[in-house]
Amino acid sequence: MAVEAETAEDADSDEAFVHPIFRVAPQEDSGSDTLGNYRYQAEVAAQICIALLTQDSVESVVCEWHEDFVVSYADGSVELVSVKHRGKRRNPWNVADLCKDGGLAHLFDRWRACDGLSNVRLRLATNAGLTTGKGGATMLKAMCGPEPAVTAGVDDMAKVVAQYLLKVRWKQPYATIPEVPQVSRLADIAIPDGFTGVVELFFGALQLDDELPSRRHITDVNLQSLLMPAIATLQRGRVDVEATYRALIERIEQSNRDQSDRGQLAVYIADPARVLHSVQIQQRIARRRLTKDTVLDTFVSSHSVVPTFARGQLPIVAPGGGILRKKMAGATPGRRRDSVARRSPTHLR
């Protein structure tokens, strides 16, 4: 049963953004961050931020919370999104790579840390394709989601994914993935009782999106296919689209870079219905949260701006202007008129 979000009154707080997942202090993954990945991640997050402008079903985006970002929806659900970019020379993702390098183990761990709440969805978003054929990643994609396209063979796929996750656990300390003895063959990995069933539930919360634009093309796609139509829908005239997009990316990256309070603040609340706010956690969320108003604030007008000066404040003196002003101030009115007359053309005298 989905856990209902508390109201601001229940929490004795001004924040209405209190889905249980935002009372979980996420683990930190600063070692995996790179500038290139951050920019691509920001541009993927920008797609959701632009959707905030025209889609009432989307409420906000919180950057770097449990995953690369979390999308909060009006129906009380949230979606944890992991973004993975792959260069054009890399092969499509297979199931093993998805579990190890593609972020499935990470998503699985965060989902279990949130107690597998039914209103927590998961999305792995990438620009790379998926391997095809029996047992390929394309088949796994078809088995995911609340209404999977393929149901035959789910038990076998869940068993394979479970073994890959257990193998990943040998080198990466995911607290919600059990430790099992190391063996040489994947098929020999002993699966703890009930773990395969948990993996099948994980499939139901997961979506694999392998159709993102590449790093080279995502800016143009976001501008032409998303931001410009959104501006037209809002009927906002004279918007500098490119400058607005740059300002939006900068705002998202600012949220991504928030380094305050890096420590582990709290563990997951066993009873999500219990009101137990951490002010520090809510402050972190506020710094990383993007709403429709946040996106509108990044809009840049294409109107030319006439420079203005505060009352009593003179404009900056141009080079040489100070000398000329002193000369003019030192001359008598008569001398200034004579000087002007000497320099004036004869026919103007």
Side-chain angles (χ1 to χ4, degrees):
M1 181 177 180
V3 177
E4 296 182 359
E6 301 169 18
T7 64
E9 291 77 17
D10 292 335
D12 193 23
S13 168
D14 292 335
E15 289 287 345
F17 196 60
V18 288
H19 185 282
I21 197 172
F22 297 106
R23 288 179 281 124
V24 186
Q27 299 173 13
E28 305 297 345
D29 297 306
S30 57
S32 62
D33 300 336
T34 65
L35 292 177
N37 289 339
Y38 260 142
R39 171 50 61 97
Y40 187 73
Q41 171 188 321
E43 297 211 64
V44 175
Q47 296 180 340
I48 307 298
C49 290
I50 295 170
L52 288 168
L53 297 173
T54 58
Q55 297 182 23
D56 293 336
S57 61
V58 186
E59 283 192 340
S60 62
V61 175
V62 177
C63 298
E64 290 294 325
W65 195 262
H66 292 284
E67 284 294 344
D68 293 325
F69 57 90
V70 175
V71 186
S72 179
Y73 293 93
D75 64 2
S77 65
V78 294
E79 183 180 44
L80 280 62
V81 183
S82 176
V83 179
K84 297 294 180 183
H85 183 273
R86 255 192 163 181
K88 60 183 180 180
R89 291 189 176 90
R90 297 291 298 273
N91 294 326
W93 295 102
N94 58 35
V95 175
D97 287 343
L98 283 175
C99 292
K100 180 183 177 182
D101 302 320
L104 279 193
H106 195 273
L107 278 169
F108 179 85
D109 181 66
R110 298 302 160 89
W111 173 72
R112 291 207 70 193
C114 297
D115 220 19
L117 297 174
S118 60
N119 55 351
V120 175
R121 303 198 299 269
L122 314 164
R123 177 155 59 100
L124 175 58
T126 180
N127 64 305
L130 304 175
T131 56
T132 58
K134 184 178 180 181
T138 299
M139 185 64 68
L140 172 60
K141 175 182 178 179
M143 294 177 177
C144 291
E147 298 180 358
V150 174
T151 56
V154 172
D155 292 344
D156 293 336
M157 180 66 77
K159 179 180 178 181
V160 171
V161 171
Q163 289 173 320
Y164 279 127
L165 294 177
L166 295 169
K167 183 177 181 180
V168 170
R169 178 65 176 84
W170 293 343
K171 294 185 178 180
Q172 301 183 43
Y174 290 126
T176 64
I177 300 177
E179 281 191 89
V180 297
Q182 296 190 27
V183 294
S184 58
R185 294 198 319 150
L186 181 74
D188 294 334
I189 295 177
I191 303 176
D193 291 341
F195 189 63
T196 301
V198 175
V199 172
E200 289 191 30
L201 293 175
F202 170 63
F203 288 177
L206 177 65
Q207 175 189 350
L208 298 181
D209 177 6
D210 61 321
E211 298 180 355
L212 288 181
S214 67
R215 186 177 295 166
R216 180 180 178 183
H217 298 113
I218 191 169
T219 298
D220 290 338
V221 170
N222 286 358
L223 284 170
Q224 301 292 331
S225 301
L226 300 176
L227 184 56
M228 292 177 67
I231 292 172
T233 299
L234 294 173
Q235 297 182 334
R236 297 286 293 263
R238 298 187 179 277
V239 174
D240 188 326
V241 179
E242 293 189 3
T244 296
Y245 185 73
R246 289 194 297 269
L248 175 59
I249 296 300
E250 183 178 344
R251 180 63 182 84
I252 294 170
E253 289 182 328
Q254 177 186 340
S255 296
N256 283 341
R257 288 193 299 264
D258 175 49
Q259 299 293 313
S260 57
D261 202 0
R262 298 285 288 180
Q264 191 77 6
L265 298 180
V267 295
Y268 183 67
I269 301 170
D271 180 7
R274 179 183 177 189
V275 177
L276 182 59
H277 266 300
S278 165
V279 174
Q280 291 175 307
I281 291 181
Q282 293 304 315
Q283 289 174 343
R284 290 175 72 185
I285 292 171
R287 287 190 294 269
R288 303 180 185 204
R289 184 186 182 200
L290 304 169
T291 64
K292 180 177 181 178
D293 289 340
T294 310
V295 180
L296 288 173
D297 286 343
T298 65
F299 274 35
V300 178
S301 173
S302 59
H303 283 289
S304 58
V305 180
V306 178
T308 58
F309 303 93
R311 179 178 296 179
Q313 179 179 344
L314 294 174
I316 298 174
V317 178
I323 298 175
L324 177 60
R325 186 171 59 188
K326 289 179 181 178
K327 286 184 177 180
M328 297 299 290
T332 63
R335 289 175 60 188
R336 286 201 298 270
R337 285 196 297 271
D338 292 343
S339 175
V340 172
R342 286 195 298 270
R343 293 196 301 269
S344 301
T346 303
H347 69 277
L348 292 179
R349 291 179 184 177

